[in-house]
Amino acid sequence: MKQQLEQLLAGALAALGGALGEPAAAAAVTVERARDARHGDFSSNIALRLAKAARSNPRELAQRILAALPPSPLVLRSEIAGAGFINFFLSPAAYGEELAAIHERAERYGHSTLGHGERVLLEFVSANPTGPLHVGHGRQAAYGATLANILVAAGFTVAREYYINDAGRQVDILAVSAWMRYLEACGETLPFPENGYRGDYVRSIAARLHASEGDGLRRAAASVLAGLPPDAPAGDKEVYIDALIARARELIGAEAFARVLEQSLAQMLADIREDLEQFGVRFDRWYSERELERSGAIDRALARLERDGRLYQQQRATWFRATLFGDEKDRVVVRENGQKTYFASDIAYHLQKRERGFERLIDVLGADHHGYVARVRAGLTAMGEPGESLEVNLIQFVSLFRGGQKVPMGKREAQFVTLRQLREEVGNDACRLFYLMRSHDQPLDFDLELAKSRTNENPVYYIQYAHARVASVLKQMAARGLQFDRAEGLAHTALLTSAHEQAALACVTRYAEALEQAAVNRAPHTLVHYLRELANALHTYYNAEQFLVEDSKIRNARLALVIGVQQVLRNGLGLLGVSAPESM
């Protein structure tokens, strides 16, 4: 309906032609839902926006636009309000047509061509494979997977990608942590490094390592510890862990250390994949950082920057002139020891995304990556790519609460709640929807007790129960030997005149607009809020009216409405990755 009204206004502007002036005639026409039903169903400020260019008083211009408005059976009447707003009151036929569209398009209802097929690469989660996914990663996963679904529904062509940080120091720390636990399993007694990974998952890796290697990688504790610098708290834990990694390579050899690393990575990645798969989150590609390096993409990106004079040498390191392209400071791309930085990998990876033909790059990252955007955009711009092609959505932190008390969580010390533990406690549906209830740029307090409750205060239960209630009505109908006549119901939507029916009609026909808003603003939480409103409209209607009345015209019209509501609830829940049960 929104688009149809915009087309009517565009037709009026075209009819007025050059009288409005060229800038005015080319202006984008928009209409919005009226906030107050007394002001109609939709409103447009087009006359206010065009008045200056058209050299006209806004109210006078609004009158001219209305006079030129093509006739439409959708519009009952239109009027001018305030300084020059144009308000539209829709005819009953307008809501009837939209309800018919819901029945006709079914699971495709709400889908649009807004994105015009624009190719989007959506990278999300991308957690270091050095431990299981925790509740923070879960929020990123829910957000990214849902945003992908919404963008596809809005007409974008979306590829979902997970970037595996499988190169560098962090995976070396994982490998040496696994080796230390392996030595313990072999019977050696030695202190575990302060900077190692301490979770039970490391013991699991070590157990598999022992099963495959036997005692072949066992070395005496004395030889492992001899000559190492002191660990924290007496010494520097960073220096100690680096020395321990070097000692492991020395004692078991580079090839064996690589086997430990590969087995550790493989086990962690398998765990992450399984966790995400069970959470309903799937990727089109898992892209390895080591694959990026082996392909020569990093060297090619650096060579491109070197060719264009974007690099310089200082203190034996290679620097990128990032400040020339909007960053706050220049960035090191190759350290003095010849090792390439994470930043060099990042800009090469994003250049490679563009070279694969993606027009828009959307990264979903943790809140601690706030400095990431400017530097990567600077890299893209320096390499001749549009910096604005990169969008970064930062996901704020999650806090778990149980019985009003905050659940303590750490990181390397393994004092964290995993995504798997959370899913097992509250279920996938609650996880997905609770993660999405608030805007991604706001911290989230996750109430475990509320998520498990079967009350109207639990939004998951409240929305799903609305869907199940309609299913219950249909079962009652069948039990009474009645059949739904869709044609008759849609032909008599003008009979839906009560306040509850009008509220349900107005809400259910707003779905396409809610979906468009969620896509444009990259805001899945707005879809959650919409579904709660729609569920409320259904519950209120259900409690106020009888659906299975004797009059077949009214009965079928009411059934057409509630079945339409059920369809939209199912569509929206599907995009969120939440089930739509037939019974509760």
Side-chain angles (χ1 to χ4, degrees), residues 143 147 150 436 439-440 514 517-528:
Y143 175 84
L147 179 60
I150 289 171
L436 297 168
S439 176
H440 65 277
Q517 180 188 9
V520 169
N521 297 324
R522 317 295 194 241
H525 72 281
T526 61
L527 182 57
V528 177

Side-chain angles (χ1 to χ4, degrees), residues 141-222:
Y143 175 84
T146 303
L147 179 60
N149 293 340
I150 289 171
L151 290 175
V152 169
F156 293 85
T157 303
V158 181
R160 302 157 177 87
E161 192 155 290
Y162 187 116
Y163 182 64
I164 308 168
N165 296 106
D166 56 0
R169 183 167 177 264
Q170 294 306 313
V171 291
D172 285 344
I173 294 175
L174 174 67
V176 81
S177 299
W179 186 59
M180 295 297 282
R181 293 302 190 200
Y182 162 86
L183 292 177
E184 290 178 5
C186 291
E188 298 294 333
T189 301
L190 65 177
F192 194 79
E194 287 295 321
N195 212 23
Y197 290 103
R198 295 176 173 273
D200 287 341
Y201 64 92
V202 181
R203 296 183 188 277
S204 174
I205 295 171
R208 291 196 182 187
L209 188 62
H210 191 264
S212 62
E213 298 282 346
D215 282 359
L217 303 181
R218 181 176 184 176
R219 299 295 183 269

Side-chain angles (χ1 to χ4, degrees), residues 329-526:
K329 62 181 181 181
D330 290 349
R331 305 286 176 178
V332 176
V333 288
V334 183
R335 297 188 183 93
E336 57 272 17
N337 62 3
Q339 194 173 41
K340 300 180 185 74
T341 63
Y342 282 122
F343 174 65
S345 299
D346 286 339
I347 58 175
Y349 176 45
H350 285 80
L351 174 63
Q352 209 263 355
K353 291 180 182 182
R354 291 284 300 173
E355 289 174 341
R356 282 189 271 156
F358 291 101
E359 301 161 80
R360 185 167 302 278
L361 317 178
I362 302 179
D363 290 0
V364 177
L365 301 172
D368 53 348
H369 287 75
H370 52 84
Y372 185 87
V373 187
R375 69 186 71 167
V376 178
R377 278 184 177 164
L380 283 170
T381 304
M383 293 183 288
E385 299 293 337
E388 64 275 11
S389 65
L390 173 64
E391 261 180 52
V392 177
N393 293 319
L394 301 180
I395 310 298
Q396 288 295 324
F397 300 105
V398 179
S399 298
L400 296 182
F401 285 81
R402 189 190 305 279
Q405 298 297 313
K406 189 174 181 179
V407 178
M409 289 189 286
K411 286 188 179 178
R412 183 163 292 156
E413 294 77 14
Q415 293 177 339
F416 57 82
V417 177
T418 67
L419 173 61
R420 184 175 280 108
Q421 289 169 333
L422 181 63
R423 292 193 299 102
E424 288 173 351
E425 179 168 351
V426 305
N428 273 0
D429 286 345
C431 269
R432 289 290 289 250
L433 198 134
F434 267 64
Y435 273 138
L436 297 168
M437 283 195 307
R438 291 180 68 86
S439 176
H440 65 277
D441 57 6
Q442 296 178 5
L444 174 68
D445 291 343
F446 195 118
D447 188 329
L448 294 166
E449 302 305 323
L450 179 61
K452 292 185 289 185
S453 70
R454 294 176 63 83
T455 67
N456 289 342
E457 284 69 39
N458 180 350
V460 189
Y461 178 84
Y462 191 67
I463 296 170
Q464 289 180 325
Y465 187 39
H467 182 275
R469 264 188 153 171
V470 179
S472 174
V473 170
L474 299 181
K475 289 173 187 173
Q476 292 172 38
M477 179 184 68
R480 290 169 57 173
L482 299 172
Q483 287 190 329
F484 170 52
D485 187 330
R486 185 171 74 173
E488 182 178 60
L490 294 174
H492 291 89
T493 53
L495 298 174
L496 301 172
T497 57
S498 75
H500 299 302
E501 288 163 340
Q502 289 296 299
L505 276 169
C507 193
V508 74
T509 55
R510 192 160 54 84
Y511 175 63
E513 299 155 43
L515 195 51
E516 180 178 313
Q517 180 188 9
V520 169
N521 297 324
R522 317 295 194 241
H525 72 281
T526 61

